[in-house]
Amino acid sequence: MAEPLFDRLCLLGIGLIGSSIARVARVRGDLARTVVAHAKTPATLARVRELGIADVVEEDPAKAVQGADCVIFCVPVGAYAEVMAAVAPQLKPGAIVTDVGSTKMSVIRDLGPLMPAGCHLVPAHPMAGTEYSGPDAGFPELFQGRYTIITPVAGTDPEAVEKVRELWRRCGSMIETLDPATHDKVVAIVSHLPHLLAFTIVSTADDLAEETKEAVLKFAASGFRDFTRIAASDPTMWRDVFLNNREALLEMLARFTEDSHALGRAVRWGQAEFIEDRIRRGRKIRQGLIERKQA
């Protein structure tokens, strides 16, 4: 077994992603000698203790980060600034601060100004997840074969960046590096917009007259079921994602709206060739994902 990458690893938040990291640490034994988990609610704290996925469980985030050489923010991105204000004075000199949030410009905005001198901020985003949340939702294989995107800012200590990359390698991820703004545009189209559309479609179905809604639920085909799976995602997390990637998401929504109107016009006017072209493009994208083992 390789030497532990960190002496003390602190997970601020222990939902799907945080508890999956904790489980990887348990299974592998080479992420950290000690794993500390912070959770906000007594019920979550109690459940983490029952599950035995962390060595230390702390309600106070400031106490949780004490002595940690790596701190991972696993709370919703909207809570980053508040949590960072609480923990910054307690960060160990030289500590690496990273995260798992799916917005990166907001992470730099909220964490960067509060970083103590000598500590290292290395934002990261594992492109993995399910519709489930909470400490029971995690599993150690979550990151296997999935991309983790690292978005270091200029001037970041290369050794700190490499340690974060190695953390995710040991979790089973494939590693890519993007600048934060590009990351936010990419995830706006591949993740955030699909979630926005899923929430909207399911809400539209919910607003139908009662007799129609019952038929929708009874006869839901796989396409609608796929939308409901996405729409079952954590409300707090996705509210924060939408609000913290507002500009990129709205840009992609505007482009999607134009494209959907174009397809709608093709349907209205019987433009079969245009419709077939859009369907073929969809099949091509799907085939590309399968070839990359991402579907």
Side-chain angles (χ1 to χ4, degrees):
M1 184 191 298
E3 274 291 300
L5 189 60
F6 299 107
D7 184 52
R8 193 174 181 90
L9 175 66
C10 175
L11 302 167
L12 295 174
I14 192 81
L16 169 66
I17 302 295
S19 69
S20 292
I21 297 170
R23 285 175 168 90
V24 174
R26 273 283 184 266
V27 170
R28 287 186 58 103
D30 65 353
L31 293 193
R33 288 185 175 86
T34 302
V35 174
V36 183
H38 156 70
K40 192 174 181 181
T41 67
T44 304
L45 291 164
R47 185 58 184 150
V48 174
R49 291 189 181 100
E50 287 173 8
L51 291 168
I53 54 177
D55 301 299
V56 181
V57 182
E58 290 285 359
E59 183 176 6
D60 181 358
K63 191 173 179 183
V65 303
Q66 289 176 356
D69 42 350
C70 183
V71 175
I72 307 180
F73 276 67
C74 303
V75 295
V77 290
Y80 277 27
E82 179 185 353
V83 174
M84 186 59 173
V87 305
Q90 300 299 324
L91 289 173
K92 174 183 175 180
I96 294 171
V97 175
T98 184
D99 80 302
V100 300
S102 71
T103 64
K104 295 276 76 89
M105 292 295 286
S106 73
V107 169
I108 292 164
R109 177 198 71 203
D110 291 344
L111 299 189
L114 297 172
M115 285 290 296
C119 292
H120 312 288
L121 175 61
V122 185
H125 177 205
M127 300 285 287
T130 71
E131 68 271 32
Y132 302 108
S133 57
D136 285 280
F139 53 99
E141 300 82 15
L142 178 63
F143 312 111
Q144 288 288 335
R146 298 299 177 186
Y147 285 103
T148 291
I149 302 174
I150 313 292
T151 64
V153 295
T156 305
D157 176 34
E159 188 176 331
V161 176
E162 182 52 36
K163 277 204 159 188
V164 173
R165 291 169 67 89
E166 180 60 20
L167 167 72
W168 288 109
R169 285 191 202 100
R170 294 187 187 192
C171 286
S173 284
M174 301 178 292
I175 314 299
E176 291 287 344
T177 302
L178 290 176
D179 70 87
T182 300
H183 166 277
D184 285 2
K185 282 199 172 186
V186 169
V187 296
I189 188 64
V190 302
S191 175
H192 303 172
L193 180 61
H195 276 81
L196 184 148
L197 298 177
F199 295 137
T200 305
I201 288 169
V202 174
S203 295
T204 300
D206 191 51
D207 287 339
L208 294 173
E210 199 59 42
E211 63 273 13
T212 310
K213 191 194 316 185
E214 283 302 314
V216 167
L217 295 175
K218 184 175 181 179
F219 301 118
S222 60
F224 186 77
R225 287 200 299 271
D226 287 343
F227 278 118
T228 62
R229 179 187 60 78
I230 298 171
S233 300
D234 182 73
T236 302
M237 185 190 85
W238 281 99
R239 175 203 67 198
D240 286 358
V241 166
F242 289 167
L243 294 177
N244 283 281
N245 200 22
R246 184 176 327 198
E247 290 184 12
L249 176 58
L250 290 176
E251 178 186 338
M252 296 306 167
L253 179 60
R255 294 180 64 163
F256 169 82
T257 301
E258 290 178 11
D259 290 343
S260 64
H261 283 165
L263 183 55
R265 285 193 298 271
V267 172
R268 179 181 294 278
W269 300 111
Q271 297 169 341
E273 189 174 327
F274 184 96
I275 296 169
E276 288 176 17
D277 175 69
R278 291 303 171 98
I279 296 169
R280 288 194 190 99
R281 287 166 68 181
R283 288 166 61 90
K284 184 179 177 182
I285 289 288
R286 176 66 179 176
Q287 189 58 42
L289 285 176
I290 292 170
E291 289 170 1
R292 290 168 174 80
K293 296 183 170 56
Q294 294 299 303

